[in-house]
Amino acid sequence: MRLFISELVQNVHIGPNSFQIGLTKFSDEAKTEWNLNTHRTKESLLTAIKKIRQNGGETNTGKALDHVLRHDFSLAVGRRADSKKTVILITDGQSADYVEIPAKNLKDSGIEIYVVAVGQDVDYNELRIIASGGDGTYMYTTSDFKSLHNIRKKLILSLCHSAPSTSTHLPKGAPCETAKADIVMLVDGSSSVSPGGFQHMKSFISELLQTMHIGPNSFQIGLTQFSTEPKTEWNLNTYRTKESLLKDINNIKQLHGGTMTGKALEHILNHSFKPTAGMRPDSKKVAILITDGESQDDVQLPAKNLKDTGIEIYIIGVGQAVDYTEMGIIASGGAGTYVYTTSDFGSLHSIRNNLSHSLCHRAPSTGRHHLHTLSNRWIFEARHGL
């Protein structure tokens, strides 16, 4: 956890006119390790991180959230009037006290809350109550503490994107100007997806593609729908313009049937990521899986085969029926950087900008990303056994 925080700090500018970082540690009680204005340079901040010691005790997350609101976001400790206010909570367990009111009080004060959930013992419903958005947009998951580094880039991009700035940067909804990638969308068309949900999914794909340049020298998009059997709707090289691609998204008809995700992953490896289907040797290879349920067949080997071929796999899990362990097995990097969750299909639009930025950032590009002004407060758990 300390290494993860250090890695985050290494990637942002620290100072009174850029990022300010405070840190609170919690277990039975919450303790402010340092305030927003304590460390004015990156060097002093990194030195302080190394000196943090674990307390031991219980997991009183609600008390910790109340503590940062009362003590860590005042003008006296460095809060600035013109900066974004953010809390990043890192935890691996269910809270021993109530979190709903403390989280609401923070958000009502204009403070955004990101949650980094580690391991299998976290309560995802509780974390959604805590996190801003309530739909998974502000929530990141990792399988264990060693995997925290997998979410670093995604979290930094989100923080930089949401912070106010006078710098030139990539605005929400703006096209990826120079990125180049071959992307295959893998869309769940099983019977568990309602007709309305399927329509929301198509709308989300259209919105996502609006942020990209489409063509043989930029982004190419293929799409496969799956249920009991997979069906290639179109290949990477079928559409050479955004207009023709967007027109045909509305024409996709839902298949209905079971949820054979493993068979679908195997299908796109054997049929979609091929030179004959438009795959280019010098482009990033990406699969984006959208699903609302647990697979009825094995996913581990098909997912491994895709990743072993150099294909990155993003997963968007919709609703309460998804299997987070299974998503971690499928996704590149485990259940972290490449996993997005939403409460329902109507909320898919809320992850569009973060996913678009991640795709643009990770694809080969000559573009640049800029850092912005932000006041931040990290709070992390330091109880016995971590």
Side-chain angles (χ1 to χ4, degrees):
M1 209 164 3
R2 290 188 301 188
L3 287 172
F4 170 68
I5 296 170
S6 294
E7 288 174 353
L8 284 173
V9 170
Q10 289 281 13
N11 282 274
V12 297
H13 290 294
I14 301 298
N17 295 314
S18 51
F19 277 73
Q20 294 189 145
I21 309 293
L23 191 140
T24 289
K25 184 173 61 178
F26 74 98
S27 54
D28 294 308
E29 301 293 332
K31 177 191 176 186
T32 300
E33 295 286 336
W34 61 78
N35 292 317
L36 289 165
N37 59 2
T38 301
H39 297 286
R40 317 299 276 175
T41 68
K42 186 178 294 186
E43 291 72 22
S44 64
L45 187 54
L46 291 171
T47 299
I49 292 169
K50 294 178 182 178
K51 296 178 180 178
I52 303 169
R53 294 293 176 261
Q54 188 175 349
N55 289 345
E58 296 298 325
T59 308
N60 286 320
T61 311
K63 186 180 288 187
L65 294 170
D66 186 62
H67 175 94
V68 295
L69 177 61
R70 294 176 181 272
H71 301 285
D72 299 327
F73 280 105
S74 70
L75 293 173
V77 298
R79 190 196 74 191
R80 297 163 295 183
D82 60 343
S83 65
K84 194 78 172 179
K85 314 301 186 292
T86 304
V87 164
I88 302 173
L89 166 67
I90 309 174
T91 184
D92 82 332
Q94 186 174 357
S95 180
D97 61 354
Y98 291 105
V99 299
E100 188 167 3
I101 292 177
K104 183 178 185 297
N105 290 340
L106 274 168
K107 289 179 277 192
D108 286 350
S109 299
I111 299 167
E112 289 186 342
I113 307 175
Y114 288 80
V115 175
V116 178
V118 183
Q120 306 303 318
D121 295 330
V122 292
D123 183 333
Y124 288 97
N125 288 329
E126 177 181 274
L127 297 181
R128 283 192 177 89
I129 290 170
I130 296 173
S132 293
D135 56 7
T137 309
Y138 290 77
M139 198 169 87
Y140 299 80
T141 59
T142 70
S143 55
D144 52 48
F145 283 98
K146 290 181 180 179
S147 301
L148 277 169
H149 67 91
N150 291 325
I151 70 168
R152 184 192 66 210
K153 289 183 180 179
K154 181 176 167 184
L155 180 56
I156 289 169
L157 281 173
S158 183
L159 292 170
C160 291
H161 179 67
S162 66
S165 173
T166 57
S167 304
T168 301
H169 63 96
L170 187 65
K172 290 185 178 181
C176 308
E177 294 292 341
T178 59
K180 184 175 184 179
D182 290 332
I183 300 175
V184 174
M185 309 289 298
L186 192 54
V187 177
D188 189 344
S190 64
S191 297
S192 62
V193 179
S194 69
F198 195 76
Q199 184 59 46
H200 279 302
M201 195 158 27
K202 292 195 290 185
S203 297
F204 166 72
I205 294 169
S206 296
E207 291 175 0
L208 183 66
L209 299 187
Q210 289 282 9
T211 69
M212 303 174 183
H213 285 293
I214 303 297
N217 295 314
S218 50
F219 278 76
Q220 292 189 146
I221 309 296
L223 191 142
T224 290
Q225 184 186 173
F226 72 98
S227 56
T228 307
E229 298 290 334
K231 176 190 177 186
T232 299
E233 298 287 347
W234 60 78
N235 287 318
L236 290 164
N237 59 0
T238 301
Y239 296 105
R240 316 301 276 176
T241 67
K242 185 184 297 186
E243 291 70 27
S244 59
L245 182 56
L246 292 173
K247 183 179 178 181
D248 248 22
I249 290 173
N250 285 330
N251 295 331
I252 302 171
K253 304 301 181 186
Q254 188 174 356
L255 293 175
H256 298 286
T259 309
M260 306 294 282
T261 311
K263 186 182 289 187
L265 293 168
E266 184 178 12
H267 175 87
I268 62 172
L269 177 61
N270 293 333
H271 299 282
S272 302
F273 286 104
K274 296 292 181 182
T276 53
M279 187 183 74
R280 299 161 295 181
D282 59 342
S283 63
K284 195 77 172 176
K285 315 299 187 293
V286 179
I288 302 175
L289 167 64
I290 310 175
T291 184
D292 78 334
E294 185 176 356
S295 180
Q296 295 169 342
D297 61 353
D298 178 65
V299 299
Q300 189 164 4
L301 184 59
K304 181 179 184 298
N305 290 339
L306 274 168
K307 290 180 279 191
D308 286 348
T309 312
I311 299 166
E312 292 184 344
I313 307 176
Y314 288 79
I315 295 185
I316 301 171
V318 182
Q320 306 302 317
V322 292
D323 183 330
Y324 288 94
T325 301
E326 180 180 274
M327 288 198 297
I329 291 170
I330 296 173
S332 295
T337 312
Y338 294 83
V339 175
Y340 295 78
T341 59
T342 70
S343 56
D344 52 54
F345 284 100
S347 302
L348 278 168
H349 65 89
S350 65
I351 68 169
R352 184 200 66 197
N353 288 320
N354 281 345
L355 178 57
S356 175
H357 274 258
S358 183
L359 292 169
C360 293
H361 179 72
R362 299 188 67 85
S365 173
T366 57
R368 297 181 62 188
H369 292 267
H370 300 268
L371 300 176
H372 315 289
T373 303
L374 182 68
S375 282
N376 247 331
R377 162 91 13 206
W378 271 292
I379 69 173
F380 76 93
E381 199 173 344
R383 49 185 186 79
H384 180 68
L386 290 188

